[in-house]
Amino acid sequence: MPANATGRPWLSILIPVYNVLPYLEDCLLSVFSQTGDGGGIELILLDDRSTDGSADLAEALIARHGGGARLLRHADNRGLSAARNSMIEEAGGDYVWFLDSDDAILPGAIAALRDIVGSCRPDVVLCDYVRDDGKICATFDGPARQFQLGTEALVAGVFARRRLHAWSRVWKREVLDGVRFPEGVYFEGMATIPRLMLNARSYYYAAQPWIYYRSRPGSILAEIRADFDYRRNDELADALAGFREDLIRAIPDVSMETRRLVALFLAREYVKLAKRLMRVHRRQRSLHLLRGDLNRYREKMEGASPLPFAQIAARHARDGQMVRWAALRFFMALSQRSGRLIRKPAI
């Protein structure tokens, strides 16, 4: 697909750069190898005050390879969300693809995207990814390799797979109107991607891995799993605050199944958070404080849910998922000040 009639690029690839020196060359070469002399594609990088030489390497690689590439800079370190937001304002492409600088675009991905966009121009194109351990991860549960209409089907299919990261989907520029990544917080993708889906009216699921995803020790998820950081877990619990209202506003007749999928996502995140919290309080032997924290996090996350967590637990029981039922009911009971015991349901 060539640049549009106004001469703008058809695709903007946006890459934030902050202290990623060991990975940056692989990332940029994966893009340059597929863009050639540009071909209607612009590459925008933003250095967020790196201290490890990442910006110098980016400049050198752009000078060597980068026809349609440019490097922006923040005067101060402002974080991932601010970097993405600044690049959105600079982007001129009909479509926008967020790429993390420690990942890479797999060979053939941009050509496949060009074919899809050229044939049907969906509001969002979804792809899969392959992890550095070789596992291919699907990001959508629904029809593949065909143009589809429907915001609710998009929301349901994404929440069914529980993948709310920014880089496994490519957005038509208009979908970003009125939505930006929240600055100064973790889990910005979880807070933003569901709202972008509510802006989309059509989609195409490529069902192919286009991204090579690298797990690295210093990532947010790696750190939050290693210990309990209240700030990060608070921001995780708050990421979907208000989404229940946004969902109903965008889809007034949203189905019970879609509500269940969103609620299931939140309930499972609550259980994972509760398990991390319990490890901390077990060491501190502070049951009273544990109950208070569990109650506070439950109020945050169940408050964003389209269904009560009790309904999710009941569905686990009906489906024979007794481990999930027991975990959710245990933490729900423990979050009560009385610490009421739970009974196994009759099924």
Side-chain angles (χ1 to χ4, degrees):
M1 177 179 174
N4 62 33
T6 65
R8 296 204 319 264
W10 71 271
L11 175 64
S12 298
I13 300 174
L14 310 184
I15 305 179
V17 176
Y18 180 69
N19 289 354
V20 286
L21 191 62
Y23 317 107
L24 184 59
E25 185 168 8
D26 284 347
C27 174
L28 295 187
L29 291 182
S30 77
V31 177
F32 291 140
S33 66
Q34 299 183 58
T35 57
D37 60 356
I41 299 171
E42 70 171 354
L43 172 62
I44 301 176
L45 296 88
L46 187 144
D47 176 59
D48 197 32
R49 294 291 292 179
S50 295
T51 59
D52 67 345
S54 292
D56 293 337
L57 176 59
E59 279 190 333
L61 290 169
I62 288 172
R64 193 179 314 151
H65 300 280
R70 52 196 168 114
L71 176 66
L72 310 177
R73 297 175 186 268
H74 273 168
D76 302 297
N77 177 258
R78 295 170 51 194
L80 175 60
S81 289
R84 284 178 174 161
N85 291 339
S86 293
M87 289 186 290
I88 290 171
E89 299 303 323
E90 293 289 329
D94 292 332
Y95 283 81
V96 173
W97 194 350
F98 301 103
L99 177 64
D100 286 351
S101 48
D102 52 354
D103 298 335
I105 296 179
L106 293 172
I110 292 178
L113 173 63
R114 181 186 287 109
D115 290 343
I116 293 167
V117 169
S119 65
C120 58
R121 296 188 63 78
D123 285 348
V124 58
V125 181
L126 304 101
C127 68
D128 296 335
Y129 65 98
V130 59
R131 301 191 319 201
D132 49 9
D133 62 3
K135 181 180 179 180
I136 295 176
C137 298
T139 67
F140 187 75
D141 184 9
R145 301 182 185 89
Q146 53 186 281
F147 178 79
Q148 294 286 321
L149 294 171
T151 302
E152 182 173 355
L154 173 64
V155 171
V158 170
F159 271 99
R161 289 293 186 182
R162 303 172 47 77
R163 316 283 187 187
L164 298 184
H165 30 59
W167 36 262
S168 63
R169 44 217 48 138
V170 184
W171 305 94
K172 187 181 284 187
R173 184 65 173 77
E174 291 80 1
V175 176
L176 301 174
D177 290 347
V179 180
R180 291 295 182 269
F181 293 89
E183 298 189 13
V185 301
Y186 300 105
F187 303 101
E188 73 294 325
M190 188 184 297
T192 307
I193 299 309
R195 270 86 180 185
L196 289 177
M197 290 190 293
L198 295 181
N199 281 354
R201 299 292 177 265
S202 61
Y203 64 91
Y204 188 107
Y205 173 41
Q208 295 176 321
W210 287 356
I211 294 289
Y212 174 77
Y213 172 76
R214 181 179 281 108
S215 304
R216 57 188 179 105
S219 69
I220 292 171
L221 284 177
E223 291 178 2
I224 200 171
R225 288 167 182 159
D227 203 354
F228 196 91
D229 180 307
Y230 273 94
R231 178 192 168 190
R232 295 186 182 194
N233 283 280
D234 282 354
E235 291 175 0
L236 168 63
D238 286 331
L240 284 174
F243 184 70
R244 175 180 60 192
E245 292 76 15
D246 292 341
L247 177 67
I248 295 170
R249 190 180 304 115
I251 314 170
D253 57 347
V254 61
S255 69
M256 189 60 66
E257 177 61 11
T258 298
R259 292 171 186 256
R260 185 189 71 83
L261 289 168
V262 176
L264 175 61
F265 175 88
L266 282 157
R268 291 182 64 181
E269 290 300 316
Y270 173 68
V271 168
K272 290 192 292 185
L273 187 156
K275 288 178 178 178
R276 294 193 297 269
L277 187 61
M278 194 168 185
R279 287 195 295 268
V280 172
H281 285 287
R282 184 184 292 127
R283 294 195 299 267
Q284 298 173 352
R285 299 178 182 274
S286 51
L287 179 60
H288 176 71
L289 293 177
L290 172 62
R291 284 181 179 165
D293 282 341
L294 287 173
N295 182 66
R296 183 169 64 88
Y297 285 121
R298 179 182 169 185
E299 287 181 349
K300 287 174 177 284
M301 301 177 85
E302 193 169 19
S305 173
L307 296 175
F309 283 177
Q311 286 189 230
I312 300 304
R315 177 63 179 264
H316 286 330
R318 288 198 301 272
D319 292 344
Q321 297 177 332
M322 301 312 296
V323 173
R324 288 183 179 176
W325 169 83
L328 181 54
R329 289 298 302 174
F330 172 75
F331 287 118
M332 288 173 63
L334 200 56
S335 73
Q336 303 294 326
R337 296 296 181 180
S338 63
R340 292 191 300 270
L341 295 177
I342 58 176
R343 293 186 175 90
K344 186 173 180 180
I347 56 174

